[in-house]
Amino acid sequence: MNKSTKAIHTKFQRRDAWDALQIPIYTCLAYEFDNADYMSDVFCGKVIVPDYSRVLNPTVTHLEEIVANLTGAKEVSAFNSGMAAISAMIMCVAQAGKNIVTSKHLFGNTYLLLTQTLKRFGVEARLIDLTNLEEIEKSIDSNTCCVFLESVTNPQMEVADIKEISKITKKHHIPLIADTTIIPFTQFDGKELGLDFQVVSSTKYISGGATSLGGLIIDYGNYPEISSLIKKDSVFNLGGYMTPQAAYQQIMGLETLEVRYKRQAESAKKIAEMLEKTSGVEAVGYCGLESHPFHEVFKKNYGEEAGAMITIDLKNREACYDFINSLKLVHRATNLFDNRSLAIHPYSTIFGPLPEEERLSMDIKPTTIRLSIGLEDPEDIYEDLKQAIENAQ
Ligand SMILES: *Cc1c(COP(=O)(O)O)cnc(C)c1O
């Protein structure tokens, strides 16, 4: 079966009592057992069936199985947000005295998790340039517990070459973990790229119309000692397991992911090309543009379609504020890959609380606007962007 078919036709673990066509939302907390022996077997992990919905729930399991089916992963674990999945993942690889080799270009909360939260637990984050293979090689030492990267950094639009980096991590026998939120896992083969684990904010593309928060750890099974910690330590002890309501919404989102992604990527490319020729726009960031510095690396790792995130640079911060204030169709909001188009000024919002030097060291510029292209007609989206750019002169 191809992926779009698998997304819809992955079988339920058990036939529903009423033959419901969609997976029911099992909102129950506890499950009943026929006798004490069986109950003991389940609680001791000899038989895997749900006993308590913080650690196992049939609706969530179904989402995990669809994602495993789509990615070829050995195991998938679903969490109640992208950050819950990322923090759970890191808690399974890091310990006091260890270091994480990663980028200075990170999603805001991941940056704070690695540089502030984990610092209190004695874990060091080495923020380097992951597009420089020599620098990666030099930064790894005997205390490095993983290399962590983001497939396309947001909003800098940098693309590290996963295929090349995985050769280095394999040589050193350390896990390569990628946050692949920006390009859905249906678009590439994570195993073939050499990833050991993917973490995903399924809040974004997977949920689609911004219906629910969610996070996933996609585990290819190359590090069994870490795999066992994910289910036991992370899900059981940290308590970030996905809710059945969110899992249902995300399953519905997955069913339409492929068509949404195609349409959004196609519109984004069209709009990026028009923005390149629009006066008042100083730069356009989009990996699908041939002029983009990471176009070739992007294509090599993720294929032709380059997703729905675009950045534009205007002449200064005031122009960016005027632009944002002039939008009529595109919404002033955070989030990515909603069905509706969104715009935000990352410097003053997502990264606003950080000191100016820190923002600049992360290449967060006061002149950049981030756009997420939705499912509206691309002409309508462009018209709105164009009038807002004109108002920002
Ligand atoms: C949104 C996002 C996250 C965090 O996900 P939440 O679901 O909001 O917790 C992490 N990484 C990237 C790249 C994101 O875009």
Side-chain angles (χ1 to χ4, degrees), residues 89 218 367:
M89 179 77 244
I218 297 169
T367 50

Side-chain angles (χ1 to χ4, degrees), residues 79-86 106-110 148 150-154 179-183 199-204 212-216 250 309 334-337 370:
F79 293 83
N80 58 25
S81 70
M83 284 319 302
I86 295 168
L106 289 172
F107 175 74
N109 288 114
T110 306
F148 182 93
E150 293 177 7
S151 51
V152 178
T153 71
N154 154 17
D179 176 340
T180 58
T181 301
I182 303 294
I183 304 296
V199 285
V200 178
S201 166
S202 52
T203 310
K204 313 286 169 56
S212 48
L213 283 160
L216 300 165
Q250 308 228 333
M309 178 174 74
T334 188
N335 192 21
L336 286 163
F337 319 129
R370 185 185 82 189

Side-chain angles (χ1 to χ4, degrees), residues 108 153 176 225 350 371:
T153 71
L176 176 59
E225 65 287 4
I350 303 169
L371 303 169

